Amino acid sequence: THPNVDKKLFSTDSIIALKNPGKGFPVNQPLGVLRWRFITKDETLIPLSINCWPSPAGDGTIDVNIEYELESENQEFKDVVISIPLPPVGNPVVGD
């Protein structure tokens, strides 16, 4: 959680709230208040699978195919963002 989030309230009640209610979160600007990470060697526990296949396109560029799939039928993800770092050269072309 963000340093200004009440960690005790989050861990006991799963509520994201400020430690100091007199202060507010910034308005009209994005702010990350919670990050989630799951580490396991048991791949059956991973809720989302991501596969990536880069291949040369022949004109000096690389085609990259990315497939992602929700592995658990009893979960629902909304607004999933997958970030791919790119070198600062050229503009990527994104398709289906």
Side-chain angles (χ1 to χ4, degrees), residues 68-88:
Y68 57 95
E69 182 176 353
L70 182 61
E71 296 292 338
S72 176
E73 292 182 12
N74 63 351
Q75 291 181 320
E76 179 180 343
F77 288 160
K78 294 181 181 179
D79 300 324
V80 174
V81 176
I82 299 174
S83 299
I84 302 166
L86 297 172

mmCIF file with all atom_site columns, all heavy atoms in Angstrom, residues 68-88:
data_model
loop_
_atom_site.group_PDB
_atom_site.id
_atom_site.type_symbol
_atom_site.label_atom_id
_atom_site.label_alt_id
_atom_site.label_comp_id
_atom_site.label_asym_id
_atom_site.label_entity_id
_atom_site.label_seq_id
_atom_site.pdbx_PDB_ins_code
_atom_site.Cartn_x
_atom_site.Cartn_y
_atom_site.Cartn_z
_atom_site.occupancy
_atom_site.B_iso_or_equiv
_atom_site.pdbx_formal_charge
_atom_site.auth_seq_id
_atom_site.auth_comp_id
_atom_site.auth_asym_id
_atom_site.auth_atom_id
_atom_site.pdbx_PDB_model_num
ATOM 1   N N   . TYR A 1 68 ? -2.978  -13.351 -23.570 1.00 0.00 ? 68 TYR A N   1
ATOM 2   C CA  . TYR A 1 68 ? -3.222  -13.466 -22.135 1.00 0.00 ? 68 TYR A CA  1
ATOM 3   C C   . TYR A 1 68 ? -4.579  -14.108 -21.918 1.00 0.00 ? 68 TYR A C   1
ATOM 4   O O   . TYR A 1 68 ? -5.490  -13.960 -22.709 1.00 0.00 ? 68 TYR A O   1
ATOM 5   C CB  . TYR A 1 68 ? -3.110  -12.116 -21.413 1.00 0.00 ? 68 TYR A CB  1
ATOM 6   C CG  . TYR A 1 68 ? -4.023  -11.042 -21.919 1.00 0.00 ? 68 TYR A CG  1
ATOM 7   C CD1 . TYR A 1 68 ? -5.252  -10.814 -21.325 1.00 0.00 ? 68 TYR A CD1 1
ATOM 8   C CD2 . TYR A 1 68 ? -3.658  -10.243 -22.987 1.00 0.00 ? 68 TYR A CD2 1
ATOM 9   C CE1 . TYR A 1 68 ? -6.097  -9.821  -21.779 1.00 0.00 ? 68 TYR A CE1 1
ATOM 10  C CE2 . TYR A 1 68 ? -4.494  -9.241  -23.456 1.00 0.00 ? 68 TYR A CE2 1
ATOM 11  C CZ  . TYR A 1 68 ? -5.705  -9.038  -22.848 1.00 0.00 ? 68 TYR A CZ  1
ATOM 12  O OH  . TYR A 1 68 ? -6.547  -8.060  -23.293 1.00 0.00 ? 68 TYR A OH  1
ATOM 13  N N   . GLU A 1 69 ? -4.666  -14.887 -20.834 1.00 0.00 ? 69 GLU A N   1
ATOM 14  C CA  . GLU A 1 69 ? -5.881  -15.654 -20.581 1.00 0.00 ? 69 GLU A CA  1
ATOM 15  C C   . GLU A 1 69 ? -6.132  -15.746 -19.081 1.00 0.00 ? 69 GLU A C   1
ATOM 16  O O   . GLU A 1 69 ? -5.216  -16.003 -18.301 1.00 0.00 ? 69 GLU A O   1
ATOM 17  C CB  . GLU A 1 69 ? -5.718  -17.054 -21.169 1.00 0.00 ? 69 GLU A CB  1
ATOM 18  C CG  . GLU A 1 69 ? -6.920  -17.927 -21.023 1.00 0.00 ? 69 GLU A CG  1
ATOM 19  C CD  . GLU A 1 69 ? -6.730  -19.279 -21.720 1.00 0.00 ? 69 GLU A CD  1
ATOM 20  O OE1 . GLU A 1 69 ? -5.737  -19.498 -22.414 1.00 0.00 ? 69 GLU A OE1 1
ATOM 21  O OE2 . GLU A 1 69 ? -7.628  -20.119 -21.542 1.00 0.00 ? 69 GLU A OE2 1
ATOM 22  N N   . LEU A 1 70 ? -7.373  -15.536 -18.695 1.00 0.00 ? 70 LEU A N   1
ATOM 23  C CA  . LEU A 1 70 ? -7.778  -15.713 -17.306 1.00 0.00 ? 70 LEU A CA  1
ATOM 24  C C   . LEU A 1 70 ? -7.891  -17.209 -17.050 1.00 0.00 ? 70 LEU A C   1
ATOM 25  O O   . LEU A 1 70 ? -8.610  -17.911 -17.744 1.00 0.00 ? 70 LEU A O   1
ATOM 26  C CB  . LEU A 1 70 ? -9.117  -15.017 -17.050 1.00 0.00 ? 70 LEU A CB  1
ATOM 27  C CG  . LEU A 1 70 ? -9.654  -15.060 -15.634 1.00 0.00 ? 70 LEU A CG  1
ATOM 28  C CD1 . LEU A 1 70 ? -8.694  -14.366 -14.676 1.00 0.00 ? 70 LEU A CD1 1
ATOM 29  C CD2 . LEU A 1 70 ? -11.011 -14.394 -15.564 1.00 0.00 ? 70 LEU A CD2 1
ATOM 30  N N   . GLU A 1 71 ? -7.155  -17.699 -16.079 1.00 0.00 ? 71 GLU A N   1
ATOM 31  C CA  . GLU A 1 71 ? -7.091  -19.138 -15.822 1.00 0.00 ? 71 GLU A CA  1
ATOM 32  C C   . GLU A 1 71 ? -8.170  -19.626 -14.867 1.00 0.00 ? 71 GLU A C   1
ATOM 33  O O   . GLU A 1 71 ? -8.478  -20.800 -14.837 1.00 0.00 ? 71 GLU A O   1
ATOM 34  C CB  . GLU A 1 71 ? -5.720  -19.506 -15.261 1.00 0.00 ? 71 GLU A CB  1
ATOM 35  C CG  . GLU A 1 71 ? -4.568  -19.253 -16.219 1.00 0.00 ? 71 GLU A CG  1
ATOM 36  C CD  . GLU A 1 71 ? -4.592  -20.171 -17.428 1.00 0.00 ? 71 GLU A CD  1
ATOM 37  O OE1 . GLU A 1 71 ? -5.217  -21.250 -17.370 1.00 0.00 ? 71 GLU A OE1 1
ATOM 38  O OE2 . GLU A 1 71 ? -3.990  -19.803 -18.448 1.00 0.00 ? 71 GLU A OE2 1
ATOM 39  N N   . SER A 1 72 ? -8.720  -18.742 -14.069 1.00 0.00 ? 72 SER A N   1
ATOM 40  C CA  . SER A 1 72 ? -9.695  -19.140 -13.062 1.00 0.00 ? 72 SER A CA  1
ATOM 41  C C   . SER A 1 72 ? -11.085 -18.658 -13.462 1.00 0.00 ? 72 SER A C   1
ATOM 42  O O   . SER A 1 72 ? -11.299 -17.468 -13.663 1.00 0.00 ? 72 SER A O   1
ATOM 43  C CB  . SER A 1 72 ? -9.309  -18.541 -11.709 1.00 0.00 ? 72 SER A CB  1
ATOM 44  O OG  . SER A 1 72 ? -10.282 -18.846 -10.750 1.00 0.00 ? 72 SER A OG  1
ATOM 45  N N   . GLU A 1 73 ? -12.042 -19.571 -13.556 1.00 0.00 ? 73 GLU A N   1
ATOM 46  C CA  . GLU A 1 73 ? -13.403 -19.210 -13.968 1.00 0.00 ? 73 GLU A CA  1
ATOM 47  C C   . GLU A 1 73 ? -14.172 -18.474 -12.878 1.00 0.00 ? 73 GLU A C   1
ATOM 48  O O   . GLU A 1 73 ? -15.183 -17.838 -13.151 1.00 0.00 ? 73 GLU A O   1
ATOM 49  C CB  . GLU A 1 73 ? -14.174 -20.457 -14.398 1.00 0.00 ? 73 GLU A CB  1
ATOM 50  C CG  . GLU A 1 73 ? -13.643 -21.069 -15.674 1.00 0.00 ? 73 GLU A CG  1
ATOM 51  C CD  . GLU A 1 73 ? -14.449 -22.274 -16.111 1.00 0.00 ? 73 GLU A CD  1
ATOM 52  O OE1 . GLU A 1 73 ? -15.547 -22.512 -15.570 1.00 0.00 ? 73 GLU A OE1 1
ATOM 53  O OE2 . GLU A 1 73 ? -13.977 -22.987 -17.019 1.00 0.00 ? 73 GLU A OE2 1
ATOM 54  N N   . ASN A 1 74 ? -13.702 -18.533 -11.632 1.00 0.00 ? 74 ASN A N   1
ATOM 55  C CA  . ASN A 1 74 ? -14.427 -17.869 -10.551 1.00 0.00 ? 74 ASN A CA  1
ATOM 56  C C   . ASN A 1 74 ? -13.859 -16.482 -10.238 1.00 0.00 ? 74 ASN A C   1
ATOM 57  O O   . ASN A 1 74 ? -14.180 -15.899 -9.225  1.00 0.00 ? 74 ASN A O   1
ATOM 58  C CB  . ASN A 1 74 ? -14.427 -18.726 -9.280  1.00 0.00 ? 74 ASN A CB  1
ATOM 59  C CG  . ASN A 1 74 ? -13.036 -18.954 -8.730  1.00 0.00 ? 74 ASN A CG  1
ATOM 60  O OD1 . ASN A 1 74 ? -12.047 -18.628 -9.373  1.00 0.00 ? 74 ASN A OD1 1
ATOM 61  N ND2 . ASN A 1 74 ? -12.952 -19.538 -7.561  1.00 0.00 ? 74 ASN A ND2 1
ATOM 62  N N   . GLN A 1 75 ? -13.025 -15.935 -11.125 1.00 0.00 ? 75 GLN A N   1
ATOM 63  C CA  . GLN A 1 75 ? -12.484 -14.593 -10.958 1.00 0.00 ? 75 GLN A CA  1
ATOM 64  C C   . GLN A 1 75 ? -12.847 -13.747 -12.153 1.00 0.00 ? 75 GLN A C   1
ATOM 65  O O   . GLN A 1 75 ? -13.131 -14.245 -13.234 1.00 0.00 ? 75 GLN A O   1
ATOM 66  C CB  . GLN A 1 75 ? -10.963 -14.625 -10.818 1.00 0.00 ? 75 GLN A CB  1
ATOM 67  C CG  . GLN A 1 75 ? -10.500 -15.239 -9.524  1.00 0.00 ? 75 GLN A CG  1
ATOM 68  C CD  . GLN A 1 75 ? -8.995  -15.237 -9.427  1.00 0.00 ? 75 GLN A CD  1
ATOM 69  O OE1 . GLN A 1 75 ? -8.300  -15.481 -10.401 1.00 0.00 ? 75 GLN A OE1 1
ATOM 70  N NE2 . GLN A 1 75 ? -8.487  -14.970 -8.237  1.00 0.00 ? 75 GLN A NE2 1
ATOM 71  N N   . GLU A 1 76 ? -12.814 -12.445 -11.943 1.00 0.00 ? 76 GLU A N   1
ATOM 72  C CA  . GLU A 1 76 ? -13.068 -11.505 -13.022 1.00 0.00 ? 76 GLU A CA  1
ATOM 73  C C   . GLU A 1 76 ? -12.075 -10.366 -12.885 1.00 0.00 ? 76 GLU A C   1
ATOM 74  O O   . GLU A 1 76 ? -11.897 -9.815  -11.799 1.00 0.00 ? 76 GLU A O   1
ATOM 75  C CB  . GLU A 1 76 ? -14.496 -10.954 -12.918 1.00 0.00 ? 76 GLU A CB  1
ATOM 76  C CG  . GLU A 1 76 ? -14.830 -9.958  -13.984 1.00 0.00 ? 76 GLU A CG  1
ATOM 77  C CD  . GLU A 1 76 ? -16.247 -9.429  -13.849 1.00 0.00 ? 76 GLU A CD  1
ATOM 78  O OE1 . GLU A 1 76 ? -17.059 -10.049 -13.139 1.00 0.00 ? 76 GLU A OE1 1
ATOM 79  O OE2 . GLU A 1 76 ? -16.539 -8.391  -14.457 1.00 0.00 ? 76 GLU A OE2 1
ATOM 80  N N   . PHE A 1 77 ? -11.387 -10.045 -13.971 1.00 0.00 ? 77 PHE A N   1
ATOM 81  C CA  . PHE A 1 77 ? -10.460 -8.928  -13.964 1.00 0.00 ? 77 PHE A CA  1
ATOM 82  C C   . PHE A 1 77 ? -11.063 -7.795  -14.765 1.00 0.00 ? 77 PHE A C   1
ATOM 83  O O   . PHE A 1 77 ? -11.696 -8.017  -15.801 1.00 0.00 ? 77 PHE A O   1
ATOM 84  C CB  . PHE A 1 77 ? -9.126  -9.305  -14.598 1.00 0.00 ? 77 PHE A CB  1
ATOM 85  C CG  . PHE A 1 77 ? -8.278  -10.220 -13.754 1.00 0.00 ? 77 PHE A CG  1
ATOM 86  C CD1 . PHE A 1 77 ? -7.270  -10.956 -14.333 1.00 0.00 ? 77 PHE A CD1 1
ATOM 87  C CD2 . PHE A 1 77 ? -8.463  -10.340 -12.400 1.00 0.00 ? 77 PHE A CD2 1
ATOM 88  C CE1 . PHE A 1 77 ? -6.475  -11.788 -13.573 1.00 0.00 ? 77 PHE A CE1 1
ATOM 89  C CE2 . PHE A 1 77 ? -7.681  -11.164 -11.628 1.00 0.00 ? 77 PHE A CE2 1
ATOM 90  C CZ  . PHE A 1 77 ? -6.677  -11.895 -12.218 1.00 0.00 ? 77 PHE A CZ  1
ATOM 91  N N   . LYS A 1 78 ? -10.858 -6.570  -14.302 1.00 0.00 ? 78 LYS A N   1
ATOM 92  C CA  . LYS A 1 78 ? -11.305 -5.383  -15.023 1.00 0.00 ? 78 LYS A CA  1
ATOM 93  C C   . LYS A 1 78 ? -10.136 -4.438  -15.149 1.00 0.00 ? 78 LYS A C   1
ATOM 94  O O   . LYS A 1 78 ? -9.310  -4.327  -14.242 1.00 0.00 ? 78 LYS A O   1
ATOM 95  C CB  . LYS A 1 78 ? -12.445 -4.688  -14.279 1.00 0.00 ? 78 LYS A CB  1
ATOM 96  C CG  . LYS A 1 78 ? -13.714 -5.504  -14.206 1.00 0.00 ? 78 LYS A CG  1
ATOM 97  C CD  . LYS A 1 78 ? -14.802 -4.743  -13.493 1.00 0.00 ? 78 LYS A CD  1
ATOM 98  C CE  . LYS A 1 78 ? -16.062 -5.599  -13.417 1.00 0.00 ? 78 LYS A CE  1
ATOM 99  N NZ  . LYS A 1 78 ? -17.132 -4.898  -12.716 1.00 0.00 ? 78 LYS A NZ  1
ATOM 100 N N   . ASP A 1 79 ? -10.046 -3.755  -16.265 1.00 0.00 ? 79 ASP A N   1
ATOM 101 C CA  . ASP A 1 79 ? -9.014  -2.744  -16.495 1.00 0.00 ? 79 ASP A CA  1
ATOM 102 C C   . ASP A 1 79 ? -7.605  -3.290  -16.284 1.00 0.00 ? 79 ASP A C   1
ATOM 103 O O   . ASP A 1 79 ? -6.774  -2.674  -15.629 1.00 0.00 ? 79 ASP A O   1
ATOM 104 C CB  . ASP A 1 79 ? -9.241  -1.516  -15.596 1.00 0.00 ? 79 ASP A CB  1
ATOM 105 C CG  . ASP A 1 79 ? -10.582 -0.862  -15.863 1.00 0.00 ? 79 ASP A CG  1
ATOM 106 O OD1 . ASP A 1 79 ? -10.998 -0.836  -17.032 1.00 0.00 ? 79 ASP A OD1 1
ATOM 107 O OD2 . ASP A 1 79 ? -11.213 -0.397  -14.907 1.00 0.00 ? 79 ASP A OD2 1
ATOM 108 N N   . VAL A 1 80 ? -7.317  -4.466  -16.858 1.00 0.00 ? 80 VAL A N   1
ATOM 109 C CA  . VAL A 1 80 ? -5.987  -5.053  -16.755 1.00 0.00 ? 80 VAL A CA  1
ATOM 110 C C   . VAL A 1 80 ? -5.051  -4.289  -17.684 1.00 0.00 ? 80 VAL A C   1
ATOM 111 O O   . VAL A 1 80 ? -5.378  -4.025  -18.835 1.00 0.00 ? 80 VAL A O   1
ATOM 112 C CB  . VAL A 1 80 ? -6.008  -6.545  -17.142 1.00 0.00 ? 80 VAL A CB  1
ATOM 113 C CG1 . VAL A 1 80 ? -4.611  -7.126  -17.191 1.00 0.00 ? 80 VAL A CG1 1
ATOM 114 C CG2 . VAL A 1 80 ? -6.881  -7.324  -16.177 1.00 0.00 ? 80 VAL A CG2 1
ATOM 115 N N   . VAL A 1 81 ? -3.901  -3.911  -17.174 1.00 0.00 ? 81 VAL A N   1
ATOM 116 C CA  . VAL A 1 81 ? -2.896  -3.202  -17.968 1.00 0.00 ? 81 VAL A CA  1
ATOM 117 C C   . VAL A 1 81 ? -1.650  -4.067  -18.026 1.00 0.00 ? 81 VAL A C   1
ATOM 118 O O   . VAL A 1 81 ? -1.131  -4.484  -16.996 1.00 0.00 ? 81 VAL A O   1
ATOM 119 C CB  . VAL A 1 81 ? -2.554  -1.829  -17.343 1.00 0.00 ? 81 VAL A CB  1
ATOM 120 C CG1 . VAL A 1 81 ? -1.441  -1.155  -18.112 1.00 0.00 ? 81 VAL A CG1 1
ATOM 121 C CG2 . VAL A 1 81 ? -3.782  -0.950  -17.283 1.00 0.00 ? 81 VAL A CG2 1
ATOM 122 N N   . ILE A 1 82 ? -1.191  -4.341  -19.240 1.00 0.00 ? 82 ILE A N   1
ATOM 123 C CA  . ILE A 1 82 ? 0.056   -5.064  -19.443 1.00 0.00 ? 82 ILE A CA  1
ATOM 124 C C   . ILE A 1 82 ? 1.032   -4.072  -20.049 1.00 0.00 ? 82 ILE A C   1
ATOM 125 O O   . ILE A 1 82 ? 0.802   -3.563  -21.147 1.00 0.00 ? 82 ILE A O   1
ATOM 126 C CB  . ILE A 1 82 ? -0.134  -6.293  -20.346 1.00 0.00 ? 82 ILE A CB  1
ATOM 127 C CG1 . ILE A 1 82 ? -1.125  -7.262  -19.698 1.00 0.00 ? 82 ILE A CG1 1
ATOM 128 C CG2 . ILE A 1 82 ? 1.199   -6.960  -20.634 1.00 0.00 ? 82 ILE A CG2 1
ATOM 129 C CD1 . ILE A 1 82 ? -1.505  -8.437  -20.559 1.00 0.00 ? 82 ILE A CD1 1
ATOM 130 N N   . SER A 1 83 ? 2.114   -3.768  -19.338 1.00 0.00 ? 83 SER A N   1
ATOM 131 C CA  . SER A 1 83 ? 3.102   -2.792  -19.799 1.00 0.00 ? 83 SER A CA  1
ATOM 132 C C   . SER A 1 83 ? 4.288   -3.519  -20.400 1.00 0.00 ? 83 SER A C   1
ATOM 133 O O   . SER A 1 83 ? 4.817   -4.455  -19.810 1.00 0.00 ? 83 SER A O   1
ATOM 134 C CB  . SER A 1 83 ? 3.582   -1.922  -18.637 1.00 0.00 ? 83 SER A CB  1
ATOM 135 O OG  . SER A 1 83 ? 2.509   -1.214  -18.094 1.00 0.00 ? 83 SER A OG  1
ATOM 136 N N   . ILE A 1 84 ? 4.709   -3.057  -21.574 1.00 0.00 ? 84 ILE A N   1
ATOM 137 C CA  . ILE A 1 84 ? 5.846   -3.651  -22.262 1.00 0.00 ? 84 ILE A CA  1
ATOM 138 C C   . ILE A 1 84 ? 6.869   -2.547  -22.500 1.00 0.00 ? 84 ILE A C   1
ATOM 139 O O   . ILE A 1 84 ? 6.593   -1.594  -23.232 1.00 0.00 ? 84 ILE A O   1
ATOM 140 C CB  . ILE A 1 84 ? 5.420   -4.267  -23.610 1.00 0.00 ? 84 ILE A CB  1
ATOM 141 C CG1 . ILE A 1 84 ? 4.338   -5.310  -23.368 1.00 0.00 ? 84 ILE A CG1 1
ATOM 142 C CG2 . ILE A 1 84 ? 6.613   -4.857  -24.330 1.00 0.00 ? 84 ILE A CG2 1
ATOM 143 C CD1 . ILE A 1 84 ? 3.620   -5.749  -24.597 1.00 0.00 ? 84 ILE A CD1 1
ATOM 144 N N   . PRO A 1 85 ? 8.031   -2.641  -21.856 1.00 0.00 ? 85 PRO A N   1
ATOM 145 C CA  . PRO A 1 85 ? 9.043   -1.601  -22.077 1.00 0.00 ? 85 PRO A CA  1
ATOM 146 C C   . PRO A 1 85 ? 9.588   -1.681  -23.500 1.00 0.00 ? 85 PRO A C   1
ATOM 147 O O   . PRO A 1 85 ? 9.871   -2.770  -24.002 1.00 0.00 ? 85 PRO A O   1
ATOM 148 C CB  . PRO A 1 85 ? 10.120  -1.928  -21.043 1.00 0.00 ? 85 PRO A CB  1
ATOM 149 C CG  . PRO A 1 85 ? 9.896   -3.348  -20.666 1.00 0.00 ? 85 PRO A CG  1
ATOM 150 C CD  . PRO A 1 85 ? 8.457   -3.665  -20.929 1.00 0.00 ? 85 PRO A CD  1
ATOM 151 N N   . LEU A 1 86 ? 9.686   -0.543  -24.147 1.00 0.00 ? 86 LEU A N   1
ATOM 152 C CA  . LEU A 1 86 ? 10.177  -0.473  -25.523 1.00 0.00 ? 86 LEU A CA  1
ATOM 153 C C   . LEU A 1 86 ? 11.353  0.491   -25.590 1.00 0.00 ? 86 LEU A C   1
ATOM 154 O O   . LEU A 1 86 ? 11.401  1.463   -24.839 1.00 0.00 ? 86 LEU A O   1
ATOM 155 C CB  . LEU A 1 86 ? 9.079   0.032   -26.466 1.00 0.00 ? 86 LEU A CB  1
ATOM 156 C CG  . LEU A 1 86 ? 7.844   -0.842  -26.586 1.00 0.00 ? 86 LEU A CG  1
ATOM 157 C CD1 . LEU A 1 86 ? 6.769   -0.123  -27.388 1.00 0.00 ? 86 LEU A CD1 1
ATOM 158 C CD2 . LEU A 1 86 ? 8.186   -2.162  -27.226 1.00 0.00 ? 86 LEU A CD2 1
ATOM 159 N N   . PRO A 1 87 ? 12.286  0.252   -26.517 1.00 0.00 ? 87 PRO A N   1
ATOM 160 C CA  . PRO A 1 87 ? 13.365  1.223   -26.684 1.00 0.00 ? 87 PRO A CA  1
ATOM 161 C C   . PRO A 1 87 ? 12.792  2.528   -27.239 1.00 0.00 ? 87 PRO A C   1
ATOM 162 O O   . PRO A 1 87 ? 11.729  2.525   -27.872 1.00 0.00 ? 87 PRO A O   1
ATOM 163 C CB  . PRO A 1 87 ? 14.303  0.553   -27.689 1.00 0.00 ? 87 PRO A CB  1
ATOM 164 C CG  . PRO A 1 87 ? 13.477  -0.461  -28.393 1.00 0.00 ? 87 PRO A CG  1
ATOM 165 C CD  . PRO A 1 87 ? 12.394  -0.874  -27.429 1.00 0.00 ? 87 PRO A CD  1
ATOM 166 N N   . PRO A 1 88 ? 13.468  3.648   -27.002 1.00 0.00 ? 88 PRO A N   1
ATOM 167 C CA  . PRO A 1 88 ? 12.927  4.947   -27.429 1.00 0.00 ? 88 PRO A CA  1
ATOM 168 C C   . PRO A 1 88 ? 13.092  5.220   -28.926 1.00 0.00 ? 88 PRO A C   1
ATOM 169 O O   . PRO A 1 88 ? 13.277  6.355   -29.331 1.00 0.00 ? 88 PRO A O   1
ATOM 170 C CB  . PRO A 1 88 ? 13.735  5.944   -26.589 1.00 0.00 ? 88 PRO A CB  1
ATOM 171 C CG  . PRO A 1 88 ? 15.028  5.259   -26.349 1.00 0.00 ? 88 PRO A CG  1
ATOM 172 C CD  . PRO A 1 88 ? 14.692  3.792   -26.246 1.00 0.00 ? 88 PRO A CD  1
#
